Amino acid sequence: MKSTVSEATVAAGTILEWIGHTVTETRPQFDAEDVVEASTLTAIATGAAILRAPRRPDPALLEAVSRTVLQETQAFTALDVAAALDAQHRVTCSSPDSICS
């Protein structure tokens, strides 16, 4: 992890303790692939919102990344969504102090 991310995390924890929260240091054990798979949910949700819009934008006016998101969204299946949700659950529950415990 980059030191700037680590430093920001420690600073946030310090502030949370200062305002009365209990903060404990832990290192969640999650698979990086799960994080990547779970992050697809955001892109797919964005693409789905655009595809459900009453008037879709002209693909020729979109940048390449936006066109790719729309193509990936159209190709995504219900099983893909379920797999991404499972990955998100594994990431969320990777800490012993998570809401899943």
Side-chain angles (χ1 to χ4, degrees):
M1 180 179 347
K2 284 189 156 191
S3 64
T4 53
V5 173
S6 179
E7 291 166 9
T9 304
V10 170
T14 301
I15 291 168
L16 289 168
E17 281 182 322
W18 183 74
I19 62 173
H21 292 278
T22 301
V23 177
T24 56
E25 184 175 333
T26 185
R27 299 189 187 288
Q29 301 299 316
F30 56 80
D31 185 343
E33 288 298 316
D34 283 343
V35 175
V36 172
E37 186 170 5
S39 69
T40 62
L41 290 171
T42 304
I44 298 305
T46 302
I50 293 169
L51 292 172
R52 287 192 317 264
R55 290 188 311 154
R56 291 186 187 175
D58 180 353
L61 300 176
L62 298 175
E63 55 190 31
V65 171
S66 298
R67 286 192 303 272
T68 300
V69 166
L70 293 179
Q71 290 167 352
E72 291 293 322
T73 300
Q74 289 175 315
F76 227 60
T77 67
L79 289 176
D80 294 328
V81 172
L85 288 170
D86 280 345
Q88 178 63 55
H89 181 73
R90 287 191 297 276
V91 171
T92 302
C93 297
S94 64
S95 170
D97 297 327
S98 77
I99 60 173
C100 305
S101 302

